[in-house]
């Protein structure tokens, strides 16, 4: 049901940051990689998709992550969005690219 929403958000992030889906969901822990994944989690949460559903969807794509890490990522991006106009602009772009 939500797969088209997931794919749309993935496409938006990969388009904005010029990365592949494989690069988005790699196991790298560098700041850029982690932030892009956290943006995905945050955008999913804005579409009222629960963390457990995000976790299950990503498991289908062979990317395993605990739902607590998803929630932590959502909280981190939420804080950044509240504190930074730049993040608000990025979120606006990601919500509407390819829409």
């Amino acid at each position: 049901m939500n797969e088209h929403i997931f794919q749309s958000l993935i496409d938006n992030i990969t388009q904005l940051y010029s990365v592949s889906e494989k690069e988005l969901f790699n196991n790298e822990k560098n700041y850029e990689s982690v932030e892009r994944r956290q943006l995905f989690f945050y955008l999913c949460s804005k579409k009222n998709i629960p963390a457990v559903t995000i976790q299950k969807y990503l498991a289908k794509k062979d990317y395993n992550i605990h739902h607590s890490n998803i929630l932590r990522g959502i909280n981190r991006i939420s804080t950044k969005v509240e504190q930074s106009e730049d993040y608000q602009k990025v979120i606006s772009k990601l919500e509407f690219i390819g829409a």
Side-chain angles (χ1 to χ4, degrees):
M1 176 177 138
N2 291 321
E3 289 195 30
H4 70 282
I5 295 170
F6 286 122
Q7 195 58 52
S8 176
L9 296 174
I10 290 167
D11 292 344
N12 291 354
I13 292 170
T14 57
Q15 182 180 351
L16 182 67
Y17 289 101
S18 299
V19 296
S20 69
E21 186 174 325
K22 186 176 182 175
E23 290 172 299
L24 179 61
F25 297 115
N26 61 27
N27 288 320
E28 291 183 24
K29 304 291 185 208
N30 63 60
Y31 179 80
E32 292 81 14
S33 296
V34 170
E35 183 180 56
R36 289 189 289 253
R37 285 190 293 272
Q38 290 175 343
L39 283 168
F40 172 73
F41 305 151
Y42 176 80
L43 291 169
C44 288
S45 74
K46 286 191 69 163
K47 300 286 184 186
N48 296 316
I49 300 171
V52 173
T53 304
I54 298 167
Q55 179 187 25
K56 287 178 185 177
Y57 175 77
L58 292 176
K60 288 182 185 178
K61 293 189 166 281
D62 295 323
Y63 183 75
N64 296 308
I65 185 168
H66 195 273
H67 72 278
S68 64
N69 291 333
I70 295 170
L71 294 172
R72 189 174 16 260
I74 292 168
N75 289 334
R76 285 191 178 147
I77 295 297
S78 293
T79 300
K80 290 178 180 183
V81 169
E82 290 171 9
Q83 296 174 349
S84 170
E85 206 170 291
D86 290 337
Y87 271 93
Q88 293 168 15
K89 290 176 185 176
V90 168
I91 295 301
S92 293
K93 282 182 186 179
L94 288 171
E95 288 178 318
F96 296 106
I97 292 175

